[in-house]
Amino acid sequence: MEYISKKERRNYLLGLSGENVLYSLIGGSFFTYFLTDIATFPPITVSVMLIVMKVWDGINDPIVGSLVDKHTFKSGEKLRPFLKYTPLPVGVFTVLMFVVFSNSDKLLWLRIAYFVIMYICWDLCYTFQDVAVWGITASVSPNTEERDRFVQWARTVGSIVYSVFSMGIPMVLEMTVNKTGMSWKLGTLVFAIIFGLGGSMLSIRCYAAQERIRVNVNEQQESIAESFKLLFKNKMMLLVTAANLCGALGFGANLVTYFFKYEIPADFLGKNSPIGALGLTTIYAIITGAPGFIGMMLADKMKKWFKNYVNVLIFMQVCNIITRTIAYFIGFDGKNLWIGMAIVGIGCIPNGATSIAQTSIFCDSIDYMEYKTGKRTEGITFSIQTSFTKISSGITMGLATLALHLLKYNAIDAEGVVYVGTQTAAFDKWIWPLVMLTPAIASVLFIIPLLFIRYTPEERKKVETELAKRRAKTENV
């Protein structure tokens, strides 16, 4: 039996698109560039800020998730109401985060304090929303096959929207600033209003999704402590989370813009081109990211080829290791840069299914925990996914800016300046290997935790059958 109507799925996907438009301002490498070269925070300051704020994420998200699991609204729902009431504050705090009221070194501590406060407020509101957005995918249908299809649609659409806007916004912003003479500060704020506040308002449409698997009052977690006990029993979720933390060590991906700005000649795409480092970053992201859409479409087939999504994740990392190593040795002189980017793009084809695979594994882990304990943990489980996604991005951004500090990076942004050759010898020597090889090393580490996951298709079917019997008995009672 199938439960999800086309209208329900369409509205949810539209709302999910809005959330990803908003997050495209914050989740990608542009956010790091904004902090170092537009807000002009020193790289070491950015590194410390990001790491400290992500520690806050690590504390905040599981608490939010456990509160979601512990509380049920009068409607009997525990997720949907958050989808209705969180978008507006998320949008407002997104805009406030991108307000740069000064670049003065004398006001550095005031600027830091303002930014950190705005980020903390944004993060708290966003966490409630994101936990509900993804937590509801585990409750939208008791049919696991239908749920997998719903997850695949959600992750595919979400990834496409995030990729398009995270690549497109910096490039369009750069071209707008170069063509109009608008300041970077004003241009960034305008874009934050359009895409941040606008995207958050669109995300309200996620409220159309229904919670069809609801816990009985006596099955709710009695305390936050119990939620955390259940969390640490969820072996599948913990191992995937550990893999993601290892993947965060590939910080070189966040240095691509700096590589293009200071190592690639300004006339690389032709004289008087309005496309600079941000635009080249977008082109790089398209070449290396667009092939991933093939992987999204093949996610279900890859699951069948490799027996389960865990093996699919391992295959993705192997492809990344091989192609990035080849690209590194090809180098970036002249046309070699295009060849290297194309090779990395080929290796990224299966990576498009990453979020689909991980969400499916998380949903399986929730079913398995219900099978073992009789309690469902959508809130705490997806809050951990949200938490460690943000922590991973914080580690990546923090390590990237720390690397810039160690390489003695000095932000330069003046009209008419030729940037190539303006950084230190250490920067010129290490930026290419950092960009290409740190993600490959992270992929090696990513594989290790996955080798300890043992959840066969036969066991999955057994769990689904048993849970269906239990729910049928409860409904009859």
Side-chain angles (χ1 to χ4, degrees):
M1 180 177 177
E2 296 195 347
Y3 300 83
I4 307 169
S5 69
K6 291 181 180 180
K7 182 179 180 181
E8 177 184 345
R9 183 176 64 221
R10 184 169 56 248
N11 277 291
Y12 175 84
L13 294 177
L14 187 61
L16 182 65
S17 298
E19 188 196 37
N20 279 276
V21 168
L22 178 150
Y23 194 69
S24 65
L25 289 167
I26 297 164
S29 59
F30 171 72
F31 193 55
T32 306
Y33 184 81
F34 163 75
L35 293 174
T36 59
D37 286 47
I38 299 176
T40 62
F41 291 118
I44 189 62
T45 302
V46 175
S47 179
V48 172
M49 278 198 307
L50 289 172
I51 292 173
V52 170
M53 289 187 300
K54 297 309 177 178
V55 169
W56 156 251
D57 286 343
I59 297 171
N60 165 49
D61 285 31
I63 293 175
V64 168
S66 63
L67 289 173
V68 170
D69 279 333
K70 184 175 179 293
H71 178 265
T72 301
F73 291 88
K74 291 181 179 180
S75 62
E77 300 167 321
K78 66 177 182 178
L79 298 168
R80 286 185 73 238
F82 292 112
L83 301 178
K84 185 176 182 180
Y85 296 112
T86 54
L88 179 58
V90 169
V92 170
F93 284 118
T94 300
V95 173
L96 292 176
M97 259 200 303
F98 284 94
V99 173
V100 181
F101 57 82
S102 173
N103 292 99
S104 172
D105 289 340
K106 294 180 179 179
L107 298 176
L108 180 61
W109 287 108
L110 179 61
R111 295 195 291 130
I112 291 173
Y114 171 81
F115 176 79
V116 170
I117 291 170
M118 291 303 105
Y119 181 88
I120 289 174
C121 293
W122 170 85
D123 180 68
L124 182 61
C125 298
Y126 181 82
T127 299
F128 274 103
Q129 180 183 24
D130 204 48
V131 167
V133 164
W134 290 110
I136 206 167
T137 62
S139 299
V140 75
S141 173
N143 181 336
T144 58
E145 293 300 322
E146 184 183 29
R147 185 185 68 197
D148 278 354
R149 291 194 298 271
F150 186 81
V151 166
Q152 183 169 355
W153 271 104
R155 285 301 184 183
T156 300
V157 171
S159 297
I160 290 173
V161 172
Y162 175 77
S163 298
V164 169
F165 281 87
S166 63
M167 292 185 295
I169 287 175
M171 184 176 185
V172 175
L173 172 61
E174 181 179 59
M175 295 175 68
T176 301
V177 169
N178 289 339
K179 286 290 187 180
T180 65
M182 181 188 300
S183 71
W184 279 98
K185 291 189 291 185
L186 178 58
T188 304
L189 180 59
V190 170
F191 273 54
I193 294 171
I194 295 171
F195 298 105
L197 186 58
S200 69
M201 292 298 92
L202 184 61
S203 68
I204 296 176
R205 300 297 287 273
C206 284
Y207 184 68
Q210 303 296 312
E211 284 185 62
R212 293 183 173 85
I213 301 177
R214 301 186 186 182
V215 297
N216 296 324
V217 175
N218 61 348
E219 291 178 344
Q220 287 180 234
Q221 284 75 282
E222 296 178 358
S223 65
I224 292 178
E226 184 187 4
S227 292
F228 277 91
K229 286 180 181 178
L230 292 171
L231 170 67
F232 287 106
K233 291 180 181 179
N234 194 335
K235 182 180 177 182
M236 274 191 287
M237 184 276 298
L238 292 175
L239 288 171
V240 173
T241 299
N244 284 325
L245 284 176
C246 292
L249 299 178
F251 61 89
N254 273 52
L255 296 173
V256 172
T257 302
Y258 303 95
F259 165 74
F260 283 125
K261 186 172 183 177
Y262 296 100
E263 300 299 322
I264 303 302
D267 60 354
F268 183 72
L269 294 177
K271 292 183 179 180
N272 302 319
S273 172
I275 297 176
L278 288 173
L280 283 171
T281 302
T282 296
I283 294 172
Y284 170 83
I286 292 172
I287 294 174
T288 60
F293 297 142
I294 300 173
M296 291 181 193
M297 298 297 104
L298 295 176
D300 191 54
K301 289 187 179 296
M302 284 195 288
K303 184 179 74 170
K304 294 177 181 177
W305 295 339
F306 295 99
K307 305 302 181 184
N308 58 51
Y309 274 131
V310 174
N311 292 333
V312 172
L313 288 176
I314 293 173
F315 173 69
M316 294 172 189
Q317 305 309 314
V318 172
C319 290
N320 193 51
I321 294 165
I322 294 172
T323 54
R324 281 188 171 275
T325 303
I326 294 173
Y328 168 72
F329 285 107
I330 289 176
F332 61 90
D333 293 332
K335 294 182 179 179
N336 285 0
L337 178 60
W338 295 112
I339 297 171
M341 288 194 291
I343 290 173
V344 173
I346 293 172
C348 289
I349 290 175
N351 285 358
T354 299
S355 57
I356 297 171
Q358 291 194 13
T359 303
S360 180
I361 293 170
F362 271 63
C363 289
D364 284 344
S365 76
I366 291 169
D367 283 349
Y368 188 73
M369 288 303 296
E370 182 183 2
Y371 171 74
K372 283 291 189 181
T373 67
K375 300 179 185 294
R376 289 187 66 81
T377 56
E378 292 97 335
I380 190 71
T381 300
F382 280 96
S383 72
I384 287 295
Q385 184 187 38
T386 302
S387 172
F388 280 94
T389 296
K390 289 187 285 187
I391 288 176
S392 295
S393 68
I395 292 172
T396 301
M397 293 176 182
L399 290 176
T401 48
L402 178 60
L404 291 176
H405 172 72
L406 295 175
L407 297 176
K408 307 297 182 184
Y409 172 77
N410 179 39
I412 301 173
D413 191 15
E415 187 176 353
V417 171
V418 177
Y419 297 115
V420 175
T422 58
Q423 292 298 328
T424 64
F427 181 95
D428 294 336
K429 177 181 178 180
W430 287 104
I431 191 67
W432 178 245
L434 288 175
V435 166
M436 278 294 131
L437 294 183
T438 55
I441 295 170
S443 287
V444 175
L445 300 174
F446 188 102
I447 292 173
I448 296 173
L450 299 182
L451 298 177
F452 294 92
I453 297 178
R454 300 285 186 269
Y455 193 64
T456 64
E458 293 76 19
E459 189 171 8
R460 187 188 198 218
K461 186 65 178 177
K462 176 184 175 183
V463 169
E464 179 184 2
T465 302
E466 175 60 27
L467 290 179
K469 291 179 181 178
R470 293 181 190 176
R471 290 164 188 158
K473 289 180 181 179
T474 301
E475 290 172 2
N476 291 334
V477 173

